[in-house]
Amino acid sequence: MTDSTQYSAMERPVITVQQGKLQGIFEDNVLGSRYLAFKGIPFAAPPVGELRFKDPKPPASWEGIRDASKNADVSIQLQTLPFSSIIGSEDCLYLNVYIPHNIYRTTRNPVMVFIHGGAFLVGNGNDINKRPDYLMAKDVILVSINYRLGALGFLNIGHEEVSGNQGLKDQVAALKWIKENIEIFGGDPNNITIFGVSAGGLSSHLLMMSPLSKGLFHKAILQSGMAKCFWAIAENAEDKAFKLASILGNDSKNPSEVIKFLQTIPANNIIKAQYEVFTPQEARIANIPFGPSIDEKSTKPFLPYPLSQLFDNEIDIPVIVGCTSHEYIMFVKDTTQETLDTTYADLEVYVKKFTNLEDSKKIARLTEKVKEHYFHNKPPTKENIPSFIRCLSDIAFSIPVKSYVNDQRKKKRAPIYYYNFSYVGNEMNNTKYILNEMPMIGASHTDDMAYLFYQPIYKANDLEPPAIGTKDRDVLEILTTMWTNFAKTGNPTPAVDEYVTTIWPPATADSFNLLDIGDTLQLLTITDHSIFEDSEDL
């Protein structure tokens, strides 16, 4: 660093980024020591008024010293747990930078950029529910970002004025800001790793494919979400845009008229109405009314071609990719017979979405094979809820991830590390039991997050981190060590230590390696095939 960008010696350090001066704050780490936080940093102009639905614009400069000790607003959304009230604001394009105390005066530190999940409808990158404490013990700089969600972030009306993927372009804008400014914080602009879970993992993968994000990052970690998942790309995006306008009172089919109309509607009304564009079946299966779409009509498209073509243009960087052992536990809403019957009847739709088959006879045959393989052709009952979870976890997550790794390992490109997170511990007590009715059978969707981030929302009974010597603490150390090793060097296990006891080799053309992260670390070699891979109908 030059003298002009040195951190101040006072308790509230001040640094200078391109837009002006920022004053951060030291915070205590639950694992001990401290870290320096700069919060609520604008990386783009507020997307309000005429900028609603538009591509992000550069942030304005400011005079004086901007207080960066508090979180800025999150993207406007329906509050989870339960969906009862609206939180956040359209003015949401802010990011947060966290620097471990022991490296904040040093330079060229590895940078990890966290992209939050939430089905592109909810969630945020602020540290209210996901604090960076665990990663701050591993000598990396962490940046967490916010981006537009729902219809405000993904409306695609098939016109260059509003062509979708605004939220993904927000992520690009954040990455550009990080690339241009992170050196001031002590970060290395040439060693940036993006990572996320669920929609955050998918976002990271789509960033690998987009021509807009080339050169902005150097490694990626895709957790429980990537572009081969059937839910990755929104279907009938233009129809849903017009349907949203109709629900809100405008039946025009003229894109320009609809855009102008929707720019006059209170954001709260749009957030409430966006859930109504789905049929009941679409709501059960797709769950993402407004998400990523092919935006070839944009003047600056994020996804200019179909995914099949974009896979071929994916940037060649080291990747960690995987999922949890029983992803679908999170999505079990209830265990009534009516719900079980409905889900069983929906299997044919899941199969169609997963395979992209159009031949109804082939879809029917494959659906019968699914019912035989997972349910032994028995009617759905509470006793075979684990079969539902295994089946839908495979279709929505596990098989697409495995297929992607299988494709990539044969190309002899940059290393790809494949994992399965199967550990069931005490940190994620929100999904430890399915509706408190049956014991946990494996790791649910997002359970791995509890060992990367300190999440006080899930620790109502004991706010302390896992104690040293417990299995939960072992897994915390294993996951944060491997993830940050990868960010530092591109290799999650350059050496073994007291926690990481196994070298994790990448999947290669010669060896389809998988690391199972459970009670112990187990290196496996994949040899089995799914019923979809073995089916003559595909």
Side-chain angles (χ1 to χ4, degrees):
M1 297 179 185
T2 64
D3 289 342
S4 63
T5 59
Q6 282 285 0
Y7 291 98
S8 168
M10 61 183 175
E11 187 69 11
R12 294 286 310 279
V14 175
I15 65 166
T16 304
V17 297
Q18 290 187 1
Q19 289 77 35
K21 295 182 183 296
L22 293 166
Q23 186 169 38
I25 189 169
F26 282 106
E27 299 194 340
D28 292 328
N29 191 330
V30 293
L31 297 181
S33 189
R34 296 191 301 169
Y35 54 85
L36 181 58
F38 292 89
K39 307 180 190 182
I41 306 172
F43 65 81
V48 299
E50 293 183 355
L51 294 184
R52 179 187 283 181
F53 306 125
K54 303 297 185 181
D55 290 358
K57 305 299 181 186
S61 298
W62 58 84
E63 298 293 329
I65 298 175
R66 182 184 179 98
D67 181 10
S69 67
K70 298 179 178 63
N71 287 302
D73 232 338
V74 304
S75 178
I76 187 169
Q77 59 193 267
L78 278 180
Q79 182 174 346
T80 55
L81 302 175
F83 285 129
S84 58
S85 60
I86 289 180
I87 61 170
S89 164
E90 284 190 86
D91 182 4
C92 63
L93 301 185
Y94 299 89
L95 55 77
N96 311 306
V97 181
Y98 304 96
I99 308 156
H101 180 266
N102 59 309
I103 67 169
Y104 87 88
R105 291 183 184 275
T106 62
T107 61
R108 297 291 171 182
N109 293 293
V111 180
M112 298 184 74
V113 180
F114 175 64
I115 303 171
H116 73 80
F120 301 105
L121 291 170
V122 298
N124 65 82
N126 290 352
D127 58 15
I128 300 170
N129 296 328
K130 293 183 183 70
R131 282 177 41 178
D133 301 45
Y134 299 164
L135 291 168
M136 288 293 94
K138 301 297 183 182
D139 296 347
V140 296
I141 291 176
L142 178 71
V143 185
S144 59
I145 67 175
N146 287 305
Y147 55 95
R148 282 173 283 180
L149 299 172
L152 294 168
F154 292 91
L155 190 80
N156 184 348
I157 205 161
H159 189 281
E160 66 176 25
E161 284 188 62
V162 176
S163 51
N165 297 332
Q166 299 89 344
L168 292 168
K169 290 181 178 181
D170 294 342
Q171 296 174 15
V172 173
L175 289 169
K176 286 181 177 177
W177 190 96
I178 294 164
K179 183 84 169 177
E180 293 168 356
N181 290 280
I182 201 62
E183 197 166 7
I184 305 298
F185 297 88
D188 185 351
N190 296 311
N191 190 10
I192 296 173
T193 300
I194 59 173
F195 73 115
V197 177
S198 193
L202 171 57
S203 293
S204 299
H205 198 189
L206 295 177
L207 286 163
M208 291 172 60
M209 299 178 170
S210 176
L212 300 185
S213 50
K214 293 286 193 295
L216 297 180
F217 56 93
H218 311 92
K219 294 179 282 291
I221 304 174
L222 320 177
Q223 298 175 236
S224 300
M226 40 78 68
K228 278 208 167 189
C229 296
F230 74 76
W231 46 270
I233 298 298
E235 296 178 344
N236 307 313
E238 295 175 25
D239 292 343
K240 288 184 174 65
F242 286 111
K243 187 173 182 179
L244 177 68
S246 179
I247 291 168
L248 289 166
N250 187 312
D251 292 324
S252 173
K253 297 302 178 185
N254 181 299
S256 296
E257 288 182 17
V258 169
I259 293 164
K260 289 177 182 177
F261 167 75
L262 289 175
Q263 285 179 327
T264 68
I265 299 297
N268 286 20
N269 295 6
I270 292 176
I271 296 303
K272 292 175 182 176
Q274 67 187 5
Y275 292 89
E276 299 177 33
V277 302
F278 269 156
T279 65
Q281 187 182 66
E282 287 174 330
R284 289 194 305 271
I285 295 173
N287 206 32
I288 303 176
F290 293 94
S293 59
I294 305 304
D295 58 348
E296 76 280 359
K297 294 181 181 177
S298 170
T299 54
K300 291 183 179 179
F302 181 88
L303 297 174
Y305 313 112
L307 278 187
S308 57
Q309 188 173 342
L310 291 167
F311 272 113
D312 295 333
N313 296 322
E314 187 178 305
I315 58 174
D316 187 17
I317 58 174
V319 172
I320 289 177
V321 61
C323 48
T324 66
S325 62
H326 293 74
E327 297 273 1
Y328 238 78
I329 290 172
M330 173 181 277
F331 305 101
V332 176
K333 304 303 183 187
D334 63 66
T335 57
T336 63
Q337 190 61 46
E338 180 182 2
T339 296
L340 296 176
D341 291 340
T342 300
T343 305
Y344 197 72
D346 284 340
L347 285 177
E348 188 165 309
V349 182
Y350 280 104
V351 169
K352 181 178 181 180
K353 285 182 174 293
F354 174 79
T355 60
N356 282 321
L357 288 172
E358 295 295 335
D359 187 323
S360 59
K361 292 182 178 179
K362 288 184 177 181
I363 294 169
R365 282 198 300 266
L366 194 50
T367 302
E368 290 308 308
K369 291 180 181 179
V370 167
K371 291 178 178 178
E372 168 62 29
H373 180 77
Y374 291 98
F375 303 95
H376 308 294
N377 284 327
K378 294 179 180 178
T381 64
K382 284 189 178 183
E383 284 66 37
N384 56 22
I385 287 174
S387 298
F388 276 106
I389 291 169
R390 190 162 62 93
C391 174
L392 296 178
S393 296
D394 283 353
I395 289 174
F397 297 94
S398 303
I399 296 174
V401 169
K402 176 185 171 185
S403 173
Y404 172 68
V405 175
N406 199 26
D407 290 343
Q408 293 300 104
R409 73 185 181 94
K410 296 173 183 177
K411 294 179 181 179
K412 298 182 178 179
R413 290 157 50 103
I416 183 164
Y417 297 89
Y418 180 29
Y419 75 89
N420 176 63
F421 185 87
S422 61
Y423 177 68
V424 178
N426 297 313
E427 287 300 290
M428 284 302 285
N429 52 24
N430 65 321
T431 54
K432 189 174 181 182
Y433 296 91
I434 305 172
L435 306 172
N436 296 315
E437 292 186 17
M438 59 183 296
M440 192 70 165
I441 58 174
S444 175
H445 191 62
T446 76
D447 275 3
D448 46 348
M449 285 290 290
Y451 304 94
L452 290 170
F453 290 86
Y454 173 64
Q455 301 183 114
I457 190 174
Y458 298 127
K459 298 176 70 67
N461 297 324
D462 181 9
L463 291 177
E464 292 298 314
I468 293 174
T470 63
K471 180 55 69 173
D472 279 358
R473 182 58 172 260
D474 291 350
V475 173
L476 184 160
E477 296 290 345
I478 288 168
L479 216 58
T480 55
T481 296
M482 293 195 302
W483 264 224
T484 56
N485 278 344
F486 180 76
K488 294 170 184 176
T489 69
N491 181 351
T493 55
V496 296
D497 60 30
E498 63 175 310
Y499 295 107
V500 182
T501 56
T502 301
I503 294 294
W504 179 9
T508 66
D510 298 323
S511 187
F512 197 172
N513 297 312
L514 165 71
L515 183 71
D516 183 77
I517 306 169
D519 287 334
T520 61
L521 292 179
Q522 293 188 62
L523 184 64
L524 308 172
T525 301
I526 302 299
T527 56
D528 63 317
H529 298 282
S530 74
I531 60 168
F532 296 98
E533 292 169 295
D534 291 335
S535 175
E536 296 176 358
D537 291 319
L538 294 176

